[in-house]
Amino acid sequence: MATDHQHHDHEMDGPGYTTPQAAIEESTPEQVAYVIGLYTGSDVDAPDFIAVVDLDPDSDTYQEIVHRVEMPNRGDELHHFGWNACSSSCHVEGLARQHLVIPGNRSGRIHVVDTADRRNPELLTVIEPEEVHEYDLSGPHTVHCIPDGKILISMTGNADGDLPGGFLELNDEFEIERRWDAPGEIEFNYDFWYQPRHDVMISSEWAAPRTYQPGFDMEDVEAGEYGHRLHFWNWTDRTVEQTVELGEEGLVPLETRFLHSPESVHGYVNAALSSNIFHFWEEDDEYQVEKVIDFESGEHADWDMPVPALPVDILVSMDDRYLFGSNWLQGEVWMYDISDPKTLRKADSISIGGYFGDIREVQGRELVAGPQMLQLSLDGERLYWTTSLYSTWDDQFFPEERERGSVMLKADVNPRKGTMTLDEEFLVDFGELPAGPARAHEIRWPDGDCTSDVWL
């Protein structure tokens, strides 16, 4: 599947960094974070928003939400979002990593926010759901900038909220360009990551919007309504070349992360419901997949079945040395050394929140949910996370999140020693907003991050 390529260590015209190592060496510590804020599924009658969080320790407003971009409608369920451009757009002269593309997973509405003023971004335009439905798609999820200044969005369902899902492509004017895939290539869809130097994209599987949006039901799993496969695509031809069946140990494969080196053919995916992490890599022109971490379930007095770990998010440090993840139900943030991608070694973990977390409060704030979406600084020294998964799922597993709102927390990471230390002085409380408690989800940095940047 790998293809020959030209060496890409060259002067860049477009956005981003020449290499992942350049991102580590040339970036400055994050000054602000853009964080999804949610009122969908709460008792607060207000639209979802993008929160601008001050992360400058020398600022008078450190750890505060200093600005909010409110969406024009209620009930979008903003979920994952991405940039209009990244390091893979390096050949596009004049392009800037300036616009956030922010879908509403529940509404199907796609918002574009201009961050030219980093601390005071503004809503630029909105693509309405009807425009998306014309391509027989709904449930927008992962947003990735792709080469040539365009944007690709994975979609979990068709226009009716059923299967199959697919992909939607936007042009650099934020107009729908086309449906990227031919309908029928896949059934389930969720996350994706591409590695253009090897002409490959990987996509994973969640479920149809009509299945997951009302909440989690084990009967849906037993009925085969949740995904358990990985798809490896020919990036150029936009066709699936290989599908890998993960079986019972790979139920609901979610985040797909190639290593950042554009030369690498290794990556990882978290099978949330099976509480496993899989390693994938190319060998002899085929992708191999092997389980490398198996988190054990735990007995809890309030549950009539063992509580699974539910690893809901993973990310790879920019130097490709560590894999970080969050076990939402059990309340654990973990890091594994992946210097040898096939032989993982647990480096450290923090037990916090969740059903088994040792640390139950920070700065006097009780933690009412486990760790969920992660983001790591480009230099690998600060790990942040939020606590909301999806509004209806929060209500089932951590119902107090609806009443108390989410928090954003931080750990200081020592990549040389492979350790993490909870910053007990850091807390962003989304439960203390003027309109009422809000949930918090994905996090992005203005200069790119470990879950959105791709290199040619």
Side-chain angles (χ1 to χ4, degrees):
M1 194 173 287
T3 59
D4 293 336
H5 59 269
Q6 295 181 332
H7 192 59
H8 283 73
D9 293 335
H10 52 252
E11 293 295 326
M12 294 176 60
D13 297 310
Y17 301 93
T18 52
T19 64
Q21 186 61 33
I24 296 170
E25 295 176 358
E26 298 171 9
S27 63
T28 56
E30 58 283 355
Q31 298 291 298
V32 297
Y34 300 125
V35 184
I36 292 285
L38 290 165
Y39 281 121
T40 298
S42 77
D43 299 325
V44 178
D45 183 23
D48 298 341
F49 59 93
I50 294 297
V52 181
V53 177
D54 188 339
L55 295 181
D56 179 1
D58 296 326
S59 168
D60 292 338
T61 52
Y62 179 51
Q63 306 180 46
E64 294 182 13
I65 297 173
V66 295
H67 181 71
R68 286 183 291 164
V69 183
E70 292 192 352
M71 300 301 115
N73 296 276
R74 288 164 169 75
D76 284 313
E77 184 107 32
L78 304 183
H79 193 57
H80 288 205
F81 64 131
W83 289 102
N84 66 307
C86 69
S87 295
S88 76
S89 313
C90 59
H91 294 289
V92 185
E93 187 174 2
L95 192 65
R97 182 164 20 211
Q98 179 177 326
H99 294 96
L100 290 168
V101 180
I102 308 164
N105 181 266
R106 194 173 290 272
S107 69
R109 194 171 284 110
I110 299 170
H111 313 82
V112 179
V113 167
D114 187 343
T115 67
D117 183 342
R118 291 187 170 192
R119 292 176 70 92
N120 297 282
E122 298 179 338
L123 181 67
L124 177 67
T125 189
V126 177
I127 300 173
E128 295 296 338
E130 294 76 15
E131 300 174 67
V132 174
H133 294 167
E134 289 181 12
Y135 296 83
D136 198 20
L137 292 169
S138 68
H141 192 272
T142 299
V143 177
H144 269 301
C145 50
I146 58 177
D148 302 327
K150 297 179 181 178
I151 300 143
L152 191 61
I153 306 174
S154 61
M155 313 289 292
T156 56
N158 65 17
D160 296 324
D162 292 314
L163 299 175
F167 293 89
L168 192 69
E169 183 177 321
L170 309 185
N171 62 26
D172 57 4
E173 298 292 327
F174 309 112
E175 301 165 328
I176 298 177
E177 180 90 356
R178 60 180 173 176
R179 178 166 178 155
W180 184 83
D181 60 314
E185 283 291 301
I186 55 171
E187 188 176 24
F188 296 93
N189 202 8
Y190 179 74
D191 192 32
F192 71 101
W193 194 289
Y194 63 102
Q195 194 72 312
R197 201 171 290 191
H198 295 278
D199 201 24
V200 64
M201 179 180 87
I202 178 174
S203 66
S204 58
E205 297 187 337
W206 192 11
R210 66 169 175 78
T211 300
Y212 67 76
Q213 286 185 351
F216 178 74
D217 188 336
M218 184 58 82
E219 290 186 0
D220 289 333
V221 179
E222 295 167 351
E225 301 289 338
Y226 279 92
H228 41 80
R229 300 180 185 87
L230 298 177
H231 306 283
F232 295 90
W233 298 67
N234 182 298
W235 175 246
T236 302
D237 295 342
R238 308 195 302 274
T239 56
V240 175
E241 288 196 338
Q242 185 183 352
T243 292
V244 176
E245 169 65 61
L246 300 177
E248 292 295 317
E249 293 200 308
L251 291 174
V252 193
L254 294 181
E255 316 303 334
T256 59
R257 313 294 191 202
F258 265 107
L259 298 192
H260 296 288
S261 166
E263 298 284 355
S264 179
V265 292
H266 293 268
Y268 300 92
V269 60
N270 51 316
L273 197 57
S274 299
S275 297
N276 294 325
I277 307 297
F278 284 86
H279 167 225
F280 58 83
W281 74 99
E282 189 204 26
E283 188 172 291
D284 299 328
D285 290 331
E286 278 203 343
Y287 271 84
Q288 313 295 319
V289 181
E290 181 177 79
K291 185 180 70 174
V292 288
I293 303 176
D294 188 345
F295 295 104
E296 294 185 1
S297 299
E299 300 291 338
H300 192 282
D302 295 338
W303 281 56
D304 57 7
M305 60 176 282
V307 179
L310 209 73
V312 285
D313 194 22
I314 59 172
L315 66 77
V316 176
S317 61
M318 195 56 75
D319 62 1
D320 288 339
R321 182 175 176 188
Y322 293 107
L323 179 71
F324 292 84
S326 58
N327 292 354
W328 189 54
L329 289 182
Q330 294 190 355
E332 183 184 32
V333 178
W334 47 261
M335 64 184 291
Y336 276 71
D337 189 325
I338 56 171
S339 300
D340 177 354
K342 293 184 177 181
T343 306
L344 278 61
R345 181 184 63 81
K346 186 171 184 178
D348 203 358
S349 66
I350 295 174
S351 176
I352 184 167
Y355 282 88
F356 301 108
D358 293 335
I359 300 173
R360 310 301 305 180
E361 65 177 43
V362 174
Q363 291 287 303
R365 166 62 147 97
E366 183 183 3
L367 305 178
V368 296
Q372 215 278 300
M373 294 307 294
L374 307 170
Q375 194 51 262
L376 183 69
S377 60
L378 291 173
D379 62 9
E381 296 187 0
R382 294 165 300 282
L383 181 71
Y384 302 80
W385 64 89
T386 57
T387 55
S388 171
L389 175 63
Y390 201 80
S391 62
T392 43
W393 294 46
D394 293 345
D395 290 347
Q396 287 179 272
F397 298 103
F398 294 110
E400 286 186 82
E401 184 93 338
R402 183 190 186 109
E403 308 297 331
R404 302 287 303 275
S406 298
V407 294
M408 180 177 173
L409 302 173
K410 167 177 169 277
D412 293 316
V413 181
N414 186 329
R416 291 159 293 283
K417 295 182 178 179
T419 58
M420 292 188 294
T421 305
L422 179 69
D423 182 350
E424 299 194 34
E425 301 299 318
F426 185 91
L427 171 74
V428 182
D429 192 348
F430 279 71
E432 297 294 333
L433 300 183
R439 309 173 199 268
H441 195 63
E442 192 167 47
I443 306 165
R444 295 246 169 265
W445 313 136
D447 291 319
D449 47 58
C450 296
T451 56
S452 67
D453 227 341
V454 176
W455 277 265
L456 284 178

mmCIF file of all heavy atoms in Angstrom, residues 49-74:
data_model
loop_
_atom_site.group_PDB
_atom_site.id
_atom_site.type_symbol
_atom_site.label_atom_id
_atom_site.label_comp_id
_atom_site.label_asym_id
_atom_site.label_seq_id
_atom_site.Cartn_x
_atom_site.Cartn_y
_atom_site.Cartn_z
ATOM 1 N N PHE A 49 -21.417 26.514 22.519
ATOM 2 C CA PHE A 49 -20.449 27.593 22.272
ATOM 3 C C PHE A 49 -19.021 27.067 22.232
ATOM 4 O O PHE A 49 -18.747 25.937 22.635
ATOM 5 C CB PHE A 49 -20.576 28.656 23.377
ATOM 6 C CG PHE A 49 -20.335 28.124 24.772
ATOM 7 C CD1 PHE A 49 -19.071 28.168 25.355
ATOM 8 C CD2 PHE A 49 -21.377 27.573 25.515
ATOM 9 C CE1 PHE A 49 -18.849 27.673 26.639
ATOM 10 C CE2 PHE A 49 -21.163 27.077 26.800
ATOM 11 C CZ PHE A 49 -19.911 27.132 27.352
ATOM 12 N N ILE A 50 -18.136 27.898 21.719
ATOM 13 C CA ILE A 50 -16.697 27.663 21.818
ATOM 14 C C ILE A 50 -16.168 28.549 22.934
ATOM 15 O O ILE A 50 -16.350 29.773 22.895
ATOM 16 C CB ILE A 50 -15.981 27.990 20.497
ATOM 17 C CG1 ILE A 50 -16.412 27.009 19.406
ATOM 18 C CG2 ILE A 50 -14.456 27.929 20.670
ATOM 19 C CD1 ILE A 50 -16.049 25.568 19.679
ATOM 20 N N ALA A 51 -15.546 27.946 23.912
ATOM 21 C CA ALA A 51 -14.954 28.699 25.014
ATOM 22 C C ALA A 51 -13.484 28.982 24.712
ATOM 23 O O ALA A 51 -12.751 28.083 24.280
ATOM 24 C CB ALA A 51 -15.070 27.901 26.309
ATOM 25 N N VAL A 52 -13.076 30.222 24.928
ATOM 26 C CA VAL A 52 -11.661 30.584 24.835
ATOM 27 C C VAL A 52 -11.119 30.602 26.260
ATOM 28 O O VAL A 52 -11.516 31.436 27.084
ATOM 29 C CB VAL A 52 -11.471 31.965 24.175
ATOM 30 C CG1 VAL A 52 -9.986 32.297 24.077
ATOM 31 C CG2 VAL A 52 -12.126 31.982 22.795
ATOM 32 N N VAL A 53 -10.245 29.651 26.574
ATOM 33 C CA VAL A 53 -9.718 29.506 27.926
ATOM 34 C C VAL A 53 -8.309 30.090 27.979
ATOM 35 O O VAL A 53 -7.449 29.741 27.161
ATOM 36 C CB VAL A 53 -9.695 28.017 28.349
ATOM 37 C CG1 VAL A 53 -9.084 27.857 29.740
ATOM 38 C CG2 VAL A 53 -11.104 27.428 28.311
ATOM 39 N N ASP A 54 -8.071 30.964 28.910
ATOM 40 C CA ASP A 54 -6.754 31.588 29.089
ATOM 41 C C ASP A 54 -5.812 30.590 29.775
ATOM 42 O O ASP A 54 -6.057 30.169 30.911
ATOM 43 C CB ASP A 54 -6.912 32.847 29.951
ATOM 44 C CG ASP A 54 -5.615 33.651 30.026
ATOM 45 O OD1 ASP A 54 -4.532 33.078 29.776
ATOM 46 O OD2 ASP A 54 -5.695 34.851 30.349
ATOM 47 N N LEU A 55 -4.717 30.231 29.074
ATOM 48 C CA LEU A 55 -3.761 29.271 29.624
ATOM 49 C C LEU A 55 -2.389 29.894 29.873
ATOM 50 O O LEU A 55 -1.405 29.183 30.042
ATOM 51 C CB LEU A 55 -3.613 28.070 28.675
ATOM 52 C CG LEU A 55 -4.871 27.214 28.495
ATOM 53 C CD1 LEU A 55 -4.582 26.060 27.552
ATOM 54 C CD2 LEU A 55 -5.362 26.678 29.838
ATOM 55 N N ASP A 56 -2.346 31.209 29.874
ATOM 56 C CA ASP A 56 -1.088 31.902 30.143
ATOM 57 C C ASP A 56 -0.928 32.082 31.660
ATOM 58 O O ASP A 56 -1.652 32.869 32.283
ATOM 59 C CB ASP A 56 -1.107 33.266 29.453
ATOM 60 C CG ASP A 56 0.162 34.054 29.712
ATOM 61 O OD1 ASP A 56 1.066 33.538 30.410
ATOM 62 O OD2 ASP A 56 0.254 35.194 29.224
ATOM 63 N N PRO A 57 0.020 31.372 32.284
ATOM 64 C CA PRO A 57 0.160 31.453 33.744
ATOM 65 C C PRO A 57 0.459 32.867 34.242
ATOM 66 O O PRO A 57 0.221 33.173 35.415
ATOM 67 C CB PRO A 57 1.335 30.510 34.047
ATOM 68 C CG PRO A 57 1.432 29.621 32.853
ATOM 69 C CD PRO A 57 0.979 30.444 31.682
ATOM 70 N N ASP A 58 0.966 33.736 33.368
ATOM 71 C CA ASP A 58 1.276 35.109 33.777
ATOM 72 C C ASP A 58 0.106 36.066 33.595
ATOM 73 O O ASP A 58 0.235 37.260 33.887
ATOM 74 C CB ASP A 58 2.485 35.623 32.977
ATOM 75 C CG ASP A 58 3.750 34.829 33.262
ATOM 76 O OD1 ASP A 58 3.913 34.377 34.417
ATOM 77 O OD2 ASP A 58 4.555 34.633 32.328
ATOM 78 N N SER A 59 -1.009 35.553 33.106
ATOM 79 C CA SER A 59 -2.165 36.408 32.840
ATOM 80 C C SER A 59 -3.034 36.551 34.086
ATOM 81 O O SER A 59 -3.156 35.623 34.898
ATOM 82 C CB SER A 59 -2.997 35.796 31.697
ATOM 83 O OG SER A 59 -4.247 36.441 31.594
ATOM 84 N N ASP A 60 -3.686 37.709 34.214
ATOM 85 C CA ASP A 60 -4.613 37.928 35.329
ATOM 86 C C ASP A 60 -5.860 37.057 35.203
ATOM 87 O O ASP A 60 -6.592 36.881 36.179
ATOM 88 C CB ASP A 60 -5.029 39.403 35.384
ATOM 89 C CG ASP A 60 -3.874 40.313 35.763
ATOM 90 O OD1 ASP A 60 -2.913 39.797 36.384
ATOM 91 O OD2 ASP A 60 -3.922 41.511 35.433
ATOM 92 N N THR A 61 -6.129 36.558 33.993
ATOM 93 C CA THR A 61 -7.329 35.741 33.779
ATOM 94 C C THR A 61 -6.965 34.274 33.520
ATOM 95 O O THR A 61 -7.726 33.545 32.897
ATOM 96 C CB THR A 61 -8.153 36.297 32.612
ATOM 97 O OG1 THR A 61 -7.302 36.449 31.461
ATOM 98 C CG2 THR A 61 -8.774 37.631 32.974
ATOM 99 N N TYR A 62 -5.795 33.857 34.008
ATOM 100 C CA TYR A 62 -5.354 32.459 33.862
ATOM 101 C C TYR A 62 -6.423 31.512 34.414
ATOM 102 O O TYR A 62 -6.974 31.745 35.487
ATOM 103 C CB TYR A 62 -4.041 32.270 34.610
ATOM 104 C CG TYR A 62 -3.470 30.869 34.577
ATOM 105 C CD1 TYR A 62 -3.315 30.183 33.376
ATOM 106 C CD2 TYR A 62 -3.062 30.246 35.764
ATOM 107 C CE1 TYR A 62 -2.761 28.908 33.347
ATOM 108 C CE2 TYR A 62 -2.507 28.972 35.749
ATOM 109 C CZ TYR A 62 -2.366 28.303 34.541
ATOM 110 O OH TYR A 62 -1.830 27.031 34.523
ATOM 111 N N GLN A 63 -6.721 30.459 33.635
ATOM 112 C CA GLN A 63 -7.704 29.433 33.982
ATOM 113 C C GLN A 63 -9.147 29.933 33.869
ATOM 114 O O GLN A 63 -10.060 29.265 34.335
ATOM 115 C CB GLN A 63 -7.502 28.876 35.397
ATOM 116 C CG GLN A 63 -6.106 28.344 35.673
ATOM 117 C CD GLN A 63 -5.975 27.814 37.070
ATOM 118 O OE1 GLN A 63 -6.840 27.081 37.546
ATOM 119 N NE2 GLN A 63 -4.902 28.162 37.745
ATOM 120 N N GLU A 64 -9.341 31.087 33.244
ATOM 121 C CA GLU A 64 -10.702 31.589 33.078
ATOM 122 C C GLU A 64 -11.155 31.500 31.624
ATOM 123 O O GLU A 64 -10.331 31.541 30.710
ATOM 124 C CB GLU A 64 -10.786 33.056 33.537
ATOM 125 C CG GLU A 64 -10.551 33.244 35.023
ATOM 126 C CD GLU A 64 -10.696 34.704 35.423
ATOM 127 O OE1 GLU A 64 -11.203 35.503 34.606
ATOM 128 O OE2 GLU A 64 -10.294 35.043 36.551
ATOM 129 N N ILE A 65 -12.456 31.385 31.440
ATOM 130 C CA ILE A 65 -13.039 31.489 30.101
ATOM 131 C C ILE A 65 -13.171 32.974 29.798
ATOM 132 O O ILE A 65 -13.973 33.677 30.419
ATOM 133 C CB ILE A 65 -14.400 30.781 30.035
ATOM 134 C CG1 ILE A 65 -14.228 29.273 30.302
ATOM 135 C CG2 ILE A 65 -15.066 30.998 28.674
ATOM 136 C CD1 ILE A 65 -15.526 28.507 30.432
ATOM 137 N N VAL A 66 -12.352 33.452 28.851
ATOM 138 C CA VAL A 66 -12.282 34.893 28.609
ATOM 139 C C VAL A 66 -13.161 35.337 27.450
ATOM 140 O O VAL A 66 -13.353 36.537 27.217
ATOM 141 C CB VAL A 66 -10.823 35.330 28.358
ATOM 142 C CG1 VAL A 66 -9.996 35.116 29.614
ATOM 143 C CG2 VAL A 66 -10.206 34.570 27.176
ATOM 144 N N HIS A 67 -13.688 34.381 26.693
ATOM 145 C CA HIS A 67 -14.558 34.743 25.565
ATOM 146 C C HIS A 67 -15.342 33.498 25.169
ATOM 147 O O HIS A 67 -14.865 32.370 25.338
ATOM 148 C CB HIS A 67 -13.709 35.222 24.378
ATOM 149 C CG HIS A 67 -14.509 35.644 23.189
ATOM 150 N ND1 HIS A 67 -15.270 36.790 23.158
ATOM 151 C CD2 HIS A 67 -14.689 35.057 21.962
ATOM 152 C CE1 HIS A 67 -15.859 36.900 21.981
ATOM 153 N NE2 HIS A 67 -15.529 35.860 21.241
ATOM 154 N N ARG A 68 -16.545 33.720 24.654
ATOM 155 C CA ARG A 68 -17.347 32.607 24.151
ATOM 156 C C ARG A 68 -17.922 32.975 22.790
ATOM 157 O O ARG A 68 -18.406 34.105 22.607
ATOM 158 C CB ARG A 68 -18.484 32.257 25.110
ATOM 159 C CG ARG A 68 -18.015 31.537 26.375
ATOM 160 C CD ARG A 68 -19.186 31.157 27.245
ATOM 161 N NE ARG A 68 -19.796 32.357 27.817
ATOM 162 C CZ ARG A 68 -21.000 32.379 28.355
ATOM 163 N NH1 ARG A 68 -21.738 31.296 28.358
ATOM 164 N NH2 ARG A 68 -21.478 33.501 28.867
ATOM 165 N N VAL A 69 -17.866 32.026 21.858
ATOM 166 C CA VAL A 69 -18.528 32.194 20.558
ATOM 167 C C VAL A 69 -19.788 31.344 20.594
ATOM 168 O O VAL A 69 -19.726 30.112 20.531
ATOM 169 C CB VAL A 69 -17.623 31.746 19.395
ATOM 170 C CG1 VAL A 69 -18.321 32.014 18.055
ATOM 171 C CG2 VAL A 69 -16.278 32.422 19.460
ATOM 172 N N GLU A 70 -20.921 31.991 20.724
ATOM 173 C CA GLU A 70 -22.173 31.251 20.785
ATOM 174 C C GLU A 70 -22.664 30.905 19.382
ATOM 175 O O GLU A 70 -22.592 31.712 18.466
ATOM 176 C CB GLU A 70 -23.237 32.073 21.511
ATOM 177 C CG GLU A 70 -22.950 32.255 22.990
ATOM 178 C CD GLU A 70 -24.154 32.820 23.726
ATOM 179 O OE1 GLU A 70 -25.128 33.205 23.053
ATOM 180 O OE2 GLU A 70 -24.107 32.868 24.957
ATOM 181 N N MET A 71 -23.159 29.679 19.238
ATOM 182 C CA MET A 71 -23.718 29.267 17.965
ATOM 183 C C MET A 71 -25.102 29.909 17.796
ATOM 184 O O MET A 71 -25.741 30.290 18.780
ATOM 185 C CB MET A 71 -23.811 27.742 17.908
ATOM 186 C CG MET A 71 -22.463 27.041 18.054
ATOM 187 S SD MET A 71 -21.242 27.489 16.794
ATOM 188 C CE MET A 71 -19.991 28.325 17.798
ATOM 189 N N PRO A 72 -25.605 30.039 16.567
ATOM 190 C CA PRO A 72 -26.868 30.746 16.364
ATOM 191 C C PRO A 72 -28.106 29.929 16.707
ATOM 192 O O PRO A 72 -29.203 30.485 16.787
ATOM 193 C CB PRO A 72 -26.838 31.084 14.864
ATOM 194 C CG PRO A 72 -25.913 30.090 14.266
ATOM 195 C CD PRO A 72 -24.906 29.759 15.300
ATOM 196 N N ASN A 73 -27.951 28.606 16.898
ATOM 197 C CA ASN A 73 -29.102 27.750 17.174
ATOM 198 C C ASN A 73 -28.869 26.942 18.442
ATOM 199 O O ASN A 73 -27.737 26.771 18.896
ATOM 200 C CB ASN A 73 -29.330 26.784 16.003
ATOM 201 C CG ASN A 73 -29.684 27.511 14.729
ATOM 202 O OD1 ASN A 73 -30.829 27.862 14.490
ATOM 203 N ND2 ASN A 73 -28.669 27.754 13.891
ATOM 204 N N ARG A 74 -29.942 26.394 18.993
ATOM 205 C CA ARG A 74 -29.850 25.523 20.165
ATOM 206 C C ARG A 74 -29.868 24.064 19.723
ATOM 207 O O ARG A 74 -30.427 23.738 18.676
ATOM 208 C CB ARG A 74 -31.006 25.807 21.117
ATOM 209 C CG ARG A 74 -30.878 27.134 21.836
ATOM 210 C CD ARG A 74 -32.187 27.564 22.453
ATOM 211 N NE ARG A 74 -32.031 28.708 23.357
ATOM 212 C CZ ARG A 74 -31.840 29.959 22.951
ATOM 213 N NH1 ARG A 74 -31.778 30.237 21.673
ATOM 214 N NH2 ARG A 74 -31.712 30.941 23.842
#
